[in-house]
Amino acid sequence: MGLIENIKEKAKTQLRTIVLPESEDERVLQAAQQVLTDKTANVVLIGNEEKVKSDAAACGANIEGAQIIDPKNFADIEKYIDELVTLRAKKGLSKEDATEIMTTEPRFFGCMMVRLGDADGLVAGSNSPTSDVLRAAMQVIKTAPGIKTVSSTFVMETADGKFGDNGLILFSDCAVLPDPNAEQLADIAASTAATASSVVGLVPRVAMLSFSTMGSAKHPLVEKVQNAVQILKDRNVDFAFDGEMQADAAIVEAIGAKKAPNSKVAGTANVLVFPDLQSGNIGYKLVQRFAGAAAHGPIVQGLNKPVNDLSRGCSVEDISNLVAITATQVV
């Protein structure tokens, strides 16, 4: 059984409620049908009920069983508006502007559902840029306690099962933060370790990557990763980690034993934290194309409650899969 099948089976054991705010996209409606058929989550669609049902019928999507909420007719809309005013008080958001946002911006409305416990998570982005999805999430849901950094991870699933845990290895951050500092790298490591455990079911072993292994090179870029490792030590985190180390030392046992003989992570890492977005994004795409690996994600991390972003070129299957992943992030 592959990773997604395992995640879907896990999601079925405790049904979560996931908001799909972009009901104007027929792929979202078709994915809602798939999620309901698979029984991996309860579904909330945001929009005018008559139009959502009409659009679903037009594209052949059976959304019976989904909850449809129109913010303009929502009984608790005043509660949502007041909460947004409170959240954005320092920015001077007026009640009038908050009302406009809550009744016309489905991503903000959906995030408020999640914040206030009326839903467990949200999946969006098929019909909007990443910046819109993350803006709503960061302004409404905020970051998790102890974490100041929103980041992402890809779960790479390789066919030969040679690296990581039976071919599963997480790459972070490949989609969100261009140039993380040392503290942000430490946050990314902690968030990815949590994703490895909660979503993938792995015991995380985190390698902090660099072009240097254990001081073999000296450069400010190396020092940034070394400082991130020290921050993790100072935080006394509850997962295995080490660094700085080169990628081959992180995943190849023989090389790890030679370059970092005293490390409990070298050679067996199942989480790779890249020093910046360029290296992470390039790295996952090379592995995806050269090795034929499946790249599941990006999974957004570091938020207080789960929100995930889709590519605007996503498929119906991508959406339904991400709904299951989001459901397993709920704690």
Side-chain angles (χ1 to χ4, degrees):
M1 188 180 291
L3 172 65
I4 291 298
E5 290 74 17
N6 280 327
I7 287 174
K8 286 186 174 182
E9 288 303 311
K10 182 179 178 181
K12 290 176 185 178
T13 63
Q14 188 171 3
L15 281 187
R16 303 296 189 176
T17 298
I18 306 300
V19 183
L20 300 175
E22 296 166 335
S23 62
E24 72 280 3
D25 188 332
E26 67 177 36
R27 293 169 298 173
V28 170
L29 298 175
Q30 292 164 348
Q33 174 182 327
Q34 188 62 57
V35 170
L36 293 167
T37 300
D38 291 344
K39 294 182 172 61
T40 51
N42 298 315
V43 173
V44 176
L45 296 167
I46 307 300
N48 176 270
E49 183 171 359
E50 184 177 339
K51 186 177 188 306
V52 171
K53 288 182 176 179
S54 174
D55 289 349
C59 69
N62 179 0
I63 58 171
E64 184 178 353
Q67 183 181 9
I68 303 172
I69 295 178
D70 184 348
K72 294 179 180 178
N73 300 319
F74 184 56
D76 286 335
I77 192 65
E78 287 297 323
K79 176 182 175 183
Y80 281 32
I81 292 167
D82 290 344
E83 183 73 7
L84 185 61
V85 169
T86 300
L87 287 171
R88 305 295 291 166
K90 290 184 179 179
K91 298 295 183 180
L93 184 71
S94 68
K95 184 162 184 175
E96 182 181 3
D97 288 341
T99 301
E100 177 73 11
I101 292 170
M102 277 293 113
T103 55
T104 64
E105 269 288 342
R107 285 158 291 275
F108 271 84
F109 181 88
C111 283
M112 190 62 76
M113 287 193 72
V114 176
R115 176 180 177 82
L116 296 180
D118 293 328
D120 297 304
L122 177 143
V123 172
S126 67
N127 204 33
S128 55
T130 295
S131 58
D132 285 358
V133 178
L134 293 184
R135 184 182 303 111
M138 292 174 70
Q139 290 184 12
V140 175
I141 293 175
K142 308 290 188 179
T143 55
I147 300 291
K148 299 178 181 178
T149 306
V150 175
S151 62
S152 71
T153 190
F154 277 88
V155 183
M156 307 301 294
E157 186 174 16
T158 57
D160 60 12
K162 189 174 180 181
F163 299 110
D165 282 18
N166 297 317
L168 296 177
I169 188 164
L170 283 74
F171 285 19
S172 295
D173 174 16
C174 306
V176 176
L177 199 61
D179 187 19
N181 59 33
E183 185 173 1
Q184 290 169 326
L185 279 179
D187 282 348
I188 291 168
S191 294
T192 311
T195 299
S197 177
S198 66
V199 176
V200 191
L202 302 181
V203 176
R205 299 183 299 277
V206 180
M208 308 295 287
L209 298 185
S210 175
F211 63 84
S212 167
T213 299
M214 304 305 185
S216 65
K218 296 187 182 300
H219 190 277
L221 293 177
V222 175
E223 291 173 7
K224 178 177 78 168
V225 180
Q226 292 171 336
N227 290 339
V229 172
Q230 185 59 52
I231 290 168
L232 289 173
K233 290 177 180 177
D234 293 343
R235 290 182 184 178
N236 195 28
V237 297
D238 61 355
F239 57 86
F241 66 93
D242 211 347
E244 87 289 0
M245 65 180 70
Q246 294 159 294
D248 56 355
I251 63 173
V252 180
E253 288 196 49
I255 296 175
K258 182 177 181 180
K259 290 188 174 182
N262 298 317
S263 174
K264 295 180 180 179
V265 167
T268 64
N270 56 16
V271 172
L272 303 182
V273 175
F274 290 80
D276 58 36
L277 186 61
Q278 288 195 102
S279 57
N281 191 273
I282 291 166
Y284 103 78
K285 288 184 177 179
L286 287 176
V287 172
Q288 183 183 34
R289 301 304 175 184
F290 283 2
H296 304 291
I299 301 170
V300 177
Q301 325 174 119
L303 292 167
N304 200 28
K305 294 184 179 181
V307 170
N308 278 308
D309 176 53
L310 294 156
S311 163
R312 278 177 280 180
C314 65
S315 66
V316 171
E317 183 180 22
D318 291 335
I319 300 170
S320 63
N321 288 349
L322 196 56
V323 167
I325 289 171
T326 306
T328 62
Q329 286 181 283
V330 179
V331 294

